[in-house]
């Protein structure tokens, strides 16, 4: 019988082939896709997230764990869809206009996926107009803006204003090395996260509010 604790461990270790093999075995044994996701994959990513927060593991370990999760998700996702398992929430993310840094943004996206969010990643150098247009197209409730340059931080404020002006009710979370909670408060963001693991907690908090 497939062992979901071993699946979580495979994610923690970033062991792609074990993660894939246990997921396939669990599906073949007709285990519930939701339980494979929650008790195996997400459980493992939660451990990585908590260790990352405490500086017990670093970016490479998170990336390796996320890669193992992605491999397992490729076989699990169609079964989740068939079983009608709804994502925790929809999260749209992008690096703001003029900014090409995406390593942190990608980590945030991975952690959110790991926590069961459906993530729509708009990439880098995302214009204000594109955020508004895509938020409308996907009716996203939560949008994440990332900036790594002090010179591109003002694009966050412009994006928040444009979303409001367009009548969208989407909540906005911001982050990136130069960004702070006081800057988030100043520009009217709904949340700020200092790192990828906190981003998951903040996203859940914002959605629950
Ligand atoms: Co650039 N760069 N860079 N760079 N770069 C910095 C940011 C810089 C601090 C380096 C320095 O001078 N010490 C500096 C900014 C100075 C400033 O504005 N105060 C800088 C500069 C100046 C530039 C250029 C202007 C250089 C030039 O061309 N003259 C240029 C700008 C290009 C552009 O964007 N238009 C540039 C270019 C580049 C590269 C392309 C070479 C490359 C980016 C590659 C890529 O991303 N694909 C690069 C890199 C790698 C860096 C450093 C070295 C590393 C950034 C990084 O990936 N960190 C960086 C110096 C540094 O930070 N030590 C630097 C790792 C990453 C995991 O952390 O992105 O902070 P971070 O993400 C964290 C949190 O911030 C948070 O979670 C993540 C994980 O914990 N987080 C969020 C991030 N987004 C979030 C969103 C959230 C929540 C949390 O909610 C939505």
């Amino acid at each position: 019988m497939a062992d979901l604790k071993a699946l979580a461990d495979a994610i923690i270790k970033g062991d792609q082939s074990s993660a894939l093999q246990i997921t396939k075995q669990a599906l073949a044994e007709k285990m519930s896709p939701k339980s494979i996701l929650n008790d195996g994959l997400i459980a493992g990513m939660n451990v990585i997230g908590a260790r990352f927060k405490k500086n017990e593991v670093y970016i490479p370990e998170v990336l390796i764990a996320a890669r193992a999760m992605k491999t397992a998700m490729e076989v699990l996702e169609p079964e989740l869809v068939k079983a009608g398992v709804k994502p925790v929430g929809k999260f749209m993310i992008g690096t703001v206009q003029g900014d090409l840094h995406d390593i942190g943004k990608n980590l945030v996206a991975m952690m959110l996926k790991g926590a069961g969010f459906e993530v729509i990643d708009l990439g880098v150098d995302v214009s204000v107009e594109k955020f508004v247009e895509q938020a409308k197209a996907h009716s996203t409730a939560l949008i994440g803006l990332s900036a790594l340059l002090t010179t591109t931080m003002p694009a966050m404020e412009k994006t928040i204003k444009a979303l409001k002006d367009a009548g969208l009710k989407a909540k906005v979370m911001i982050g990136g090395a130069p960004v702070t909670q006081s800057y988030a408060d100043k520009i009217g963001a709904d949340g700020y996260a200092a790192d990828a693991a906190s981003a998951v907690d903040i996203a859940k908090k914002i959605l629950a509010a």
Side-chain angles (χ1 to χ4, degrees):
M1 174 124 163
D3 179 355
L4 296 185
K5 165 86 179 54
L7 179 55
D9 285 343
I11 298 299
I12 295 165
K13 286 188 205 129
D15 180 346
Q16 268 188 94
S17 68
S18 297
L20 182 63
Q21 183 261 316
I22 302 169
T23 304
K24 281 183 175 166
Q25 188 193 342
L27 286 172
E29 288 168 1
K30 304 276 175 243
M31 244 184 216
S32 117
K34 190 176 176 183
S35 144
I36 301 171
L37 177 70
N38 290 334
D39 305 328
L41 303 180
I42 292 180
M45 278 306 275
N46 282 345
V47 172
I48 283 288
R51 289 185 185 169
F52 182 59
K53 234 183 200 172
K54 288 192 265 175
N55 290 325
E56 289 172 6
V57 297
Y58 298 97
I59 292 163
E61 286 93 334
V62 178
L63 293 177
I64 292 165
R67 196 180 56 187
M69 171 136 186
K70 190 169 172 238
T71 305
M73 277 306 282
E74 275 159 22
V75 291
L76 186 61
E77 215 153 19
E79 301 306 319
L80 285 168
V81 173
K82 272 191 227 159
V85 177
K86 298 259 181 302
V88 175
K90 211 188 266 185
F91 188 91
M92 179 178 286
I93 190 164
T95 302
V96 295
Q97 190 155 25
D99 202 320
L100 301 175
H101 296 85
D102 68 355
I103 300 169
K105 186 258 306 160
N106 292 346
L107 269 179
V108 172
M110 282 171 194
M111 293 303 285
L112 284 156
K113 272 188 202 159
F117 279 82
E118 176 190 346
V119 176
I120 301 152
D121 189 345
L122 300 182
V124 296
D125 190 18
V126 182
S127 67
V128 170
E129 295 76 23
K130 187 165 181 189
F131 272 116
V132 173
E133 170 206 301
Q134 292 297 308
K136 279 185 190 161
H138 294 278
S139 16
T140 329
L142 192 47
I143 299 173
L145 310 178
S146 181
L148 261 287
L149 298 171
T150 43
T151 49
T152 55
M153 285 166 68
M156 293 178 146
E157 185 170 15
K158 284 189 194 135
T159 305
I160 292 173
K161 185 174 178 308
L163 289 164
K164 282 194 184 129
D165 289 350
L168 295 168
K169 302 261 179 290
K171 306 268 185 187
V172 178
M173 174 165 84
I174 64 170
V179 180
T180 59
Q181 180 65 58
S182 68
Y183 185 69
D185 296 340
K186 184 175 157 236
I187 67 170
D190 301 284
Y192 157 74
D195 56 57
S198 325
V200 171
D201 300 337
I202 305 290
K204 286 183 178 166
K205 215 181 265 173
I206 295 174
L207 278 186

